[in-house]
Amino acid sequence: MQLNKKVYSDYTNRPEKVLQFGEGNFLRCFVDWMFHELNKKTDFNGSVIAVQPIDKGMVDMLNEQDGLYTLYLRGLKNGKPESIHETIDVISRGINPYTQFQEYLKTAELPEMRYIISNTTEAGIAYDDQDEAGATPPNSYPAKLAVWLKHRFETFSGDQAKGVHIIPCELIEKNADNLKRILLQLAQKWDFGAEFINWLESACTFSNTLVDRIVPGYPRERIAEITEELGYEDKQVVEGEHFHLWVIEAPESLQNELPFPSIGLDVLYVKDITPYRTRKVRILNGAHTTLVPVAYLYGIDTVREAVEHPVVGKFIKEAIFDEIIPTLDLSKEELEKFAGEVIDRFRNPYIKHLLMSISLNSFPKFETRVLPSVLEFIRREGKVPQKLAFSLAATIAFYRGKRGEEEISLNDDAAILVLLKNAWSKYDGTDESIEDVVREVLGYEKNWKLDLNSVEGLTKSVTGHLVNITKNGMEKAIETV
């Protein structure tokens, strides 16, 4: 027996108000769940049409289940493991524009359609010079949306009240601004006319966003257990963590229409998402990047083991609270609350997050996620943050390619791998040759965007830590910081 309307007796038909580009795990675990909660706790009374943004996708499978799926939320809640599940009934149907293009366009004719959501991967919001307005459908997501908006504009004769709120969730900076720029570029290229362009700019709103929730996706390893628990088959089960955060640059009209915060969801309507993006990159992503080489060389393999370890866990917590948070401009209380949530997320007993899976491209990651904290700490405090410097030394040691007798499978840009191989080839066991390794790596301006040897005290600190790690091993070296 498969999940569908017949199995789920509480199914409710609602007006279709949301057009969603993307039918994958993240949107169903994040945005669709939020609209489901809005239906339960307010008079929103709306459903979602899921549009398949690429040729191959899952809308057929979704339609087989009448848009229904089971969501499992698993992780630490108030410090204790909790696993809950619920049937989500907010998706009314899925549409494949590659086989149902006219049906896709007709959704623009729905009077109550009001919100455009998307998650088409980081590459989805991009201009494609090959797109044509008459294609059925055009190739790129922005082009598909452009022809849909033009059809809506024409259907309602440019009625200002029939504009839409466009809320992209792609993980790129200024996602809505970039999408709007491409839509205007296409409108001009395709001669959609000044009236349409004016409608797009005056009747529609574009909100930059930041999204955050770990979504492991379909729980393949335990699907037999889930099927037995549910009593029916669900091919669209999705798993995620309890933590969720959606930061939206939004006009007051959107805040009034979608009162997510009032029902207890972690949705922030702000004028500028920049400090929140910086907070996430520096604390969550930065902590990952800081932790990986230290924990892995210590002999640990997963994030959870690392943060729960008495020595390594203490190291990463102090790095976050003592060296990263002091470089950020949001309130200390807000930053420490977020950091506490991050550590709980790292401790999620339901997610096995391998350190090696995070180690990909460690040097570019260090430059974007950790180096800004290092430089800002030096600017504000007048000294080098020793735990972050220790992590940089550990990263250089990691790229030596050995954990005891075990070979480390390094994965990075070819030029960086060559750089590190050449630098380590000159090591002869002396402290002076370690300093030469450090100077060569820190001087690689292509990665760092500057010569880090020019940063006062940094070369000396990193060299000292790398000497310690190389001669004494990670277990003893970490005790010094």
Side-chain angles (χ1 to χ4, degrees):
M1 182 169 59
Q2 187 172 351
L3 176 62
N4 54 37
K5 290 180 185 177
K6 294 178 182 177
V7 172
Y8 184 68
S9 58
D10 291 336
Y11 186 90
T12 305
N13 286 304
R14 300 183 179 92
E16 294 173 324
K17 297 182 178 181
V18 183
L19 190 72
Q20 174 176 293
F21 290 84
E23 78 286 18
N25 291 319
F26 181 80
L27 284 179
R28 290 189 292 114
C29 184
F30 189 76
V31 174
D32 295 334
W33 166 73
M34 290 191 188
F35 279 115
H36 175 79
E37 291 294 303
L38 213 56
N39 279 333
K40 283 171 28 181
K41 298 173 182 177
T42 74
D43 59 359
F44 177 71
N45 189 35
S47 65
V48 175
I49 300 173
V51 177
Q52 185 173 295
I54 57 176
D55 189 15
K56 297 185 186 302
M58 299 190 300
V59 296
D60 289 343
M61 194 182 298
L62 197 58
N63 285 331
E64 284 176 14
Q65 297 189 175
D66 298 319
L68 296 166
Y69 61 95
T70 309
L71 172 64
Y72 276 80
L73 296 179
R74 314 178 85 212
L76 293 178
K77 204 165 185 181
N78 299 320
K80 297 180 180 179
E82 180 179 279
S83 176
I84 59 174
H85 67 273
E86 182 179 14
T87 303
I88 306 298
D89 72 343
V90 76
I91 296 178
S92 60
R93 54 183 166 137
I95 292 178
N96 180 356
Y98 291 85
T99 58
Q100 303 170 282
F101 184 70
Q102 292 306 316
E103 190 68 21
Y104 163 69
L105 277 188
K106 281 183 181 177
T107 64
E109 301 170 11
L110 296 169
E112 293 182 283
M113 184 58 66
R114 184 65 173 153
Y115 311 97
I116 307 292
I117 305 290
S118 64
N119 185 29
T120 56
T121 78
E122 289 89 330
I125 298 180
Y127 178 75
D128 185 344
D129 191 48
Q130 303 301 310
D131 272 322
E132 297 293 339
T136 58
N139 181 52
S140 71
Y141 159 53
K144 289 183 182 74
L145 180 57
V147 296
W148 186 94
L149 289 165
K150 181 64 158 50
H151 189 69
R152 185 167 183 83
F153 168 79
E154 292 173 342
T155 298
F156 296 102
S157 303
D159 185 351
Q160 290 281 309
K162 294 301 185 240
V164 290
H165 290 292
I166 298 171
I167 316 168
C169 297
E170 287 81 358
L171 292 173
I172 61 171
E173 196 166 355
K174 302 291 184 183
N175 45 22
D177 291 349
N178 279 288
L179 179 57
K180 182 178 181 180
R181 174 181 53 78
I182 297 169
L183 289 172
L184 291 171
Q185 189 175 356
L186 290 169
Q188 291 171 343
K189 176 188 175 184
W190 293 340
D191 296 323
F192 279 180
E195 290 186 12
F196 169 76
I197 290 174
N198 179 64
W199 179 83
L200 184 66
E201 296 199 277
S202 60
C204 300
T205 68
F206 292 79
S207 294
N208 293 316
T209 68
L210 172 69
V211 297
D212 190 4
R213 174 174 252 176
I214 296 171
V215 180
Y218 182 75
R220 194 173 308 278
E221 292 181 359
R222 63 184 206 95
I223 195 61
E225 170 194 334
I226 287 172
T227 301
E228 184 176 352
E229 179 179 22
L230 298 176
Y232 52 76
E233 182 183 17
D234 182 355
K235 296 177 181 178
Q236 294 284 290
V237 176
V238 62
E239 279 189 339
E241 62 174 344
H242 291 291
F243 179 92
H244 61 281
L245 176 67
W246 198 4
V247 186
I248 307 174
E249 286 180 357
E252 194 171 333
S253 57
L254 181 63
Q255 300 178 40
N256 293 335
E257 291 179 35
L258 300 179
F260 293 121
S262 70
I263 60 170
L265 297 180
D266 288 328
V267 177
L268 301 178
Y269 289 115
V270 300
K271 292 182 179 179
D272 180 10
I273 67 171
T274 303
Y276 297 93
R277 176 175 291 280
T278 302
R279 179 184 73 173
K280 176 181 181 285
V281 171
R282 300 271 191 94
I283 294 179
L284 190 150
N285 304 116
H288 264 157
T289 301
T290 300
L291 175 67
V292 167
V294 176
Y296 193 78
L297 292 178
Y298 199 97
I300 296 169
D301 291 318
T302 69
V303 172
R304 183 188 175 196
E305 290 175 274
V307 296
E308 292 184 342
H309 190 276
V311 176
V312 178
K314 182 172 183 286
F315 167 84
I316 192 59
K317 288 168 191 170
E318 290 181 354
I320 294 171
F321 284 89
D322 298 345
E323 298 184 353
I324 296 176
I325 284 178
T327 71
L328 299 171
D329 292 327
L330 292 171
S331 73
K332 185 178 179 182
E333 181 183 4
E334 189 174 353
L335 291 168
E336 290 186 346
K337 177 178 180 293
F338 180 77
E341 291 169 336
V342 164
I343 290 166
D344 272 352
R345 296 169 73 186
F346 288 175
R347 293 175 54 232
N348 190 334
Y350 300 106
I351 297 176
K352 187 177 182 180
H353 205 167
L354 294 173
L355 294 169
M356 281 302 296
S357 70
I358 310 170
S359 71
L360 174 69
N361 297 327
S362 289
F363 275 92
K365 285 178 178 175
F366 199 100
E367 187 272 325
T368 57
R369 301 174 174 186
V370 185
L371 183 59
S373 296
V374 173
L375 298 177
E376 186 62 20
F377 188 93
I378 293 171
R379 190 185 73 80
R380 296 187 184 194
E381 304 293 333
K383 59 184 179 180
V384 174
Q386 291 303 315
K387 291 177 181 64
L388 300 185
F390 184 85
S391 174
L392 180 51
T395 304
I396 297 172
F398 180 87
Y399 274 69
R400 194 179 180 188
K402 284 276 192 180
R403 180 169 74 166
E405 297 303 312
E406 174 191 343
E407 293 280 343
I408 298 175
S409 179
L410 301 172
N411 198 340
D412 212 315
D413 180 77
I416 288 175
L417 294 178
V418 169
L419 170 76
L420 269 295
K421 184 176 181 180
N422 289 340
W424 276 112
S425 70
K426 299 165 189 172
Y427 172 58
D428 60 10
T430 64
D431 292 0
E432 290 77 16
S433 63
I434 287 285
E435 183 175 351
D436 290 341
V437 172
V438 171
R439 286 191 175 279
E440 190 166 346
V441 174
L442 268 56
Y444 188 59
E445 294 188 38
K446 185 177 178 182
N447 184 74
W448 308 117
K449 311 299 188 291
L450 77 159
D451 183 347
L452 291 184
N453 293 299
S454 66
V455 178
E456 186 176 356
L458 187 59
T459 304
K460 181 180 178 181
S461 290
V462 175
T463 299
H465 293 312
L466 188 55
V467 167
N468 198 358
I469 293 168
T470 304
K471 291 192 170 181
N472 300 314
M474 184 58 71
E475 287 191 32
K476 288 187 178 179
I478 197 172
E479 293 176 4
T480 65
V481 292

